[in-house]
Amino acid sequence: PPPVEPEQPWDVAPPAVGDWRYEAAGQDSQASYGPVGAPVAVLRCSRAARQLDLRITGALSGASVPVTIRTSAGTLAWSGVGDGAAVRVQRAASDPGFDWIAFSRGRISVEAAGLPRLVLPVWAEMQRVIEDCRG
């Protein structure tokens, strides 16, 4: 068999296949990333609650799933909940970690314990959802 290539660092690894798409639904909005009809990540704003939900597709269950998000500004250590289909991280829209995500240079890495690393490009769609939630 061919030799296995080592995993590239997150800041140079190619992003996952797909595109960001922005959608507004009443007062709420979301940006989803991945192939059409099969998003691997969704950032959703609940304006009434001033809360952002980040969902990463993956078959994990559990009340507390460690989620590491790497940005060019630093590393965020958040906690999520696995529902069997995705890991969901809920945070206040005012959390400064979302600034780190929105302004990261080119990409971020999302690493939920038990799932493969997900490298996502930083596009305006996710920045727009963050701003929608902040007011």
Side-chain angles (χ1 to χ4, degrees):
V4 176
E5 292 187 30
E7 188 173 71
Q8 293 178 309
W10 73 272
D11 56 347
V12 295
V17 174
D19 293 305
W20 281 105
R21 288 172 219 43
Y22 175 86
E23 301 170 58
Q27 294 255 333
D28 297 341
S29 62
Q30 75 176 26
S32 57
Y33 183 83
V36 174
V40 295
V42 177
L43 181 62
R44 182 168 178 77
C45 163
S46 172
R47 281 192 191 178
R50 295 268 190 239
Q51 188 165 329
L52 286 158
D53 295 339
L54 175 63
R55 293 180 58 86
I56 303 300
T57 302
L60 281 180
S61 295
S64 183
V65 177
V67 177
T68 301
I69 300 176
R70 299 183 196 285
T71 74
S72 58
T75 302
L76 303 165
W78 288 350
S79 182
V81 175
D83 65 10
V87 173
R88 181 174 157 198
V89 176
Q90 291 184 305
R91 308 288 291 193
S94 60
D95 189 314
F98 289 112
D99 293 320
W100 290 17
I101 291 169
F103 298 109
S104 188
R105 291 186 199 121
R107 70 193 70 213
I108 62 171
S109 172
V110 181
E111 302 160 17
L115 294 178
R117 175 182 73 183
L118 182 60
V119 177
L120 300 171
V122 175
W123 288 5
E125 289 81 354
M126 62 192 278
Q127 296 165 341
R128 184 172 176 190
V129 170
I130 293 167
E131 288 305 312
D132 286 349
C133 236
R134 289 181 171 172

